Amino acid sequence: MIYADNAATTQLDIDAFEKMKKFLLNDYGNASQLYSFSRAAKKALKEARITIADCICALPEEIYFTSGGTESDNWAIKGLQTLGDDRATITSKIEHHAVLNACAATEKLGFPVAYLSVDEHGVVLPETLCDVITSKTKLVSIMLANNEIGTIEPVKELAKITHAHGALFHTDAVQAVGHIPIDVNALGVDMLSASGHKFNAPKGVGFLYIRKGVNINPYADGGAQEFGMRAGTENVAAIVAMAVALKKNCANMQETQKKLLRMEAEFIQTLDDAGTDYIRNGFANRMPGNINISIRGANGEMLLHRLDLKGICISTGSACDSVNTQVSHVIEAIGVPDAYAQGTIRVSFGTMNSEDDAKTVAEGIIDILGIR
Ligand code: PLP
């Protein structure tokens, strides 16, 4: 089996798993309890917060553990709204549904939302934000890296424009954390969402970075966990595993990037040598390992199933969209021509893949297309 859908999820890192086991089977005390048995859990939680904060140049008290990217996005978007304040949110048309649907929910409650268009590479051009933003804007939420086409957005510039208008900036960095260097201060973001399972940590754990001083409502009311902002007994095992995986990914980042770029080159070369007629989607500045292509006259879903029969896992769009056979909102937003759009697939390589895998996946596609 070749798993080439790492933008959907990743394999759990073995060291993260070992650490997790310890907190599931041995040191399973509730981190909020006062007796000595809980001390290991409490200490591990504190250390995990420090490790994670270090990886994104934040302060430990700015890291709030959540159940993943969807929760972090919902919190950032819905948490700023208060009764009687109808200032607007601005987002883009190519956000993940965790952001788009959270925005749609706030619209239903009467909070206005504007959706920015992107260029043909999926880039939110700063001038499009300048055209829409006013002093009545409360929040701008633009993703750091797109989950389908991998485009890295000019977040630093967008955050600067946002602050000049007195609004706050949130970025969904679920695809980026653990894969490209992140410094929340250099980016100038006020909130940043991350999800463990995208960087070899377990599923169902993530975090929201909230800059000190940002006034946001709690996500869940209850106990005093997460500084009283997100109540509920902490998932210590998953949190410590997330810290291990993130630290490891950050330490190996440069080496991994080089490896992924070699896989990309192998894949593209194999397709090109066979004379495949395709468009590569996304911006040149994109997530390493992400290859989103639209093949002329092909059907993405048919390709996915035929590759599955060969033991190869890829995606047609985002995984969360896999029941939907229509052209994805991202492919539509970047204006891929009709003759190509239906033949869109996303191949996303990860640390567990090799250049041989890249060649095999490309050859599988060529074989199914019958162009050899
Ligand atoms: N945001 C982006 C960009 C994603 O790619 C995903 C997952 O695919 C999410 C949010 C949702 O994250 P989670 O699966 O942790 O809820």
Side-chain angles (χ1 to χ4, degrees):
M1 198 268 275
I2 296 178
Y3 181 77
D5 198 18
N6 289 273
T9 197
T10 56
Q11 187 180 31
L12 182 60
D13 176 82
I14 190 70
D15 295 332
F17 174 63
E18 290 301 334
K19 187 88 184 241
M20 209 173 170
K21 255 170 46 184
K22 178 166 138 47
F23 287 94
L24 288 171
L25 298 175
N26 306 111
D27 295 327
Y28 55 82
N30 185 322
S32 300
Q33 291 297 15
L34 299 176
Y35 36 75
S36 48
F37 176 55
S38 279
R39 223 170 275 152
K42 196 180 297 182
K43 184 165 172 276
L45 201 59
K46 190 175 171 194
E47 284 168 2
R49 208 182 299 280
I50 295 170
T51 302
I52 288 172
D54 275 354
C55 289
I56 62 164
C57 307
L59 299 170
E61 59 268 34
E62 294 175 320
I63 304 296
Y64 295 81
F65 296 124
T66 66
S67 68
T70 301
E71 182 182 319
S72 299
D73 286 343
N74 270 267
W75 188 4
I77 288 157
K78 297 173 180 170
L80 287 182
Q81 286 159 353
T82 46
L83 223 56
D85 179 358
D86 65 348
R87 282 180 293 161
T89 297
I90 300 175
T91 188
S92 84
K93 289 184 179 167
I94 64 161
E95 298 297 312
H96 188 272
H97 282 113
V99 166
L100 290 177
N101 290 345
C103 284
T106 66
E107 266 185 300
K108 276 194 197 139
L109 295 175
F111 297 98
V113 182
Y115 298 87
L116 300 180
S117 295
V118 294
D119 74 3
E120 72 271 29
H121 307 295
V123 178
V124 178
L125 298 172
E127 48 268 36
T128 61
L129 177 60
C130 291
D131 288 346
V132 175
I133 196 165
T134 69
S135 59
K136 291 276 283 172
T137 304
K138 185 157 195 178
L139 174 72
V140 176
S141 178
I142 306 290
M143 66 205 320
L144 186 48
N146 184 268
N147 48 301
E148 292 192 32
I149 57 177
T151 294
I152 298 173
E153 300 294 346
V155 159
K156 190 176 172 175
E157 247 177 300
L158 296 168
K160 210 167 161 189
I161 297 164
T162 301
H163 291 149
H165 289 80
L168 292 170
F169 193 92
H170 163 250
T171 190
D172 173 345
V174 165
Q175 290 289 328
V177 170
H179 300 285
I180 57 172
I182 290 179
D183 176 339
V184 285
N185 298 308
L187 285 173
V189 297
D190 300 296
M191 291 183 282
L192 177 145
S193 301
S195 175
H197 74 99
K198 307 289 184 179
F199 54 82
N200 310 97
K203 291 160 186 61
V205 68
F207 64 89
L208 179 65
Y209 156 80
I210 307 175
R211 181 181 295 285
K212 224 173 158 179
V214 168
N215 192 10
I216 187 166
N217 297 322
Y219 184 77
D221 301 308
Q225 296 93 349
E226 298 307 297
F227 315 109
M229 296 292 280
R230 197 268 188 188
T233 303
E234 301 91 344
N235 187 351
V236 177
I239 291 167
V240 294
M242 176 164 69
V244 170
L246 185 56
K247 190 174 175 183
K248 203 164 161 184
N249 271 28
C250 289
N252 299 332
M253 203 174 269
Q254 273 190 334
E255 202 184 309
T256 305
Q257 283 191 6
K258 279 189 209 147
K259 200 175 146 190
L260 292 173
L261 290 178
R262 284 200 299 272
M263 291 179 210
E264 278 187 38
E266 184 67 44
F267 180 90
I268 295 292
Q269 191 63 52
T270 309
L271 282 192
D272 288 349
D273 286 350
T276 319
D277 184 356
Y278 71 94
I279 298 168
R280 182 156 185 197
N281 301 313
F283 188 41
N285 185 21
R286 63 161 79 79
M287 290 306 298
N290 172 296
I291 303 167
N292 187 300
I293 54 171
S294 298
I295 305 168
R296 190 183 178 91
N299 179 305
E301 204 183 333
M302 181 276 283
L303 271 171
L304 181 150
H305 291 302
R306 299 275 305 270
L307 285 169
D308 190 19
L309 291 175
K310 291 176 182 284
I312 296 170
C313 305
I314 58 123
S315 174
T316 52
S318 75
C320 322
D321 258 359
S322 59
V323 285
N324 195 340
T325 55
Q326 289 161 0
V327 168
S328 85
H329 65 294
V330 177
I331 296 305
E332 199 176 296
I334 61 173
V336 174
D338 287 347
Y340 292 82
Q342 288 291 344
T344 303
I345 55 169
R346 178 188 69 187
V347 177
S348 47
F349 294 116
T351 45
M352 315 293 182
N353 293 121
S354 64
E355 283 174 64
D356 280 351
D357 287 351
K359 197 174 177 65
T360 307
V361 177
E363 279 173 346
I365 293 167
I366 293 161
D367 189 37
I368 294 164
L369 293 174
I371 49 177
R372 211 184 20 199

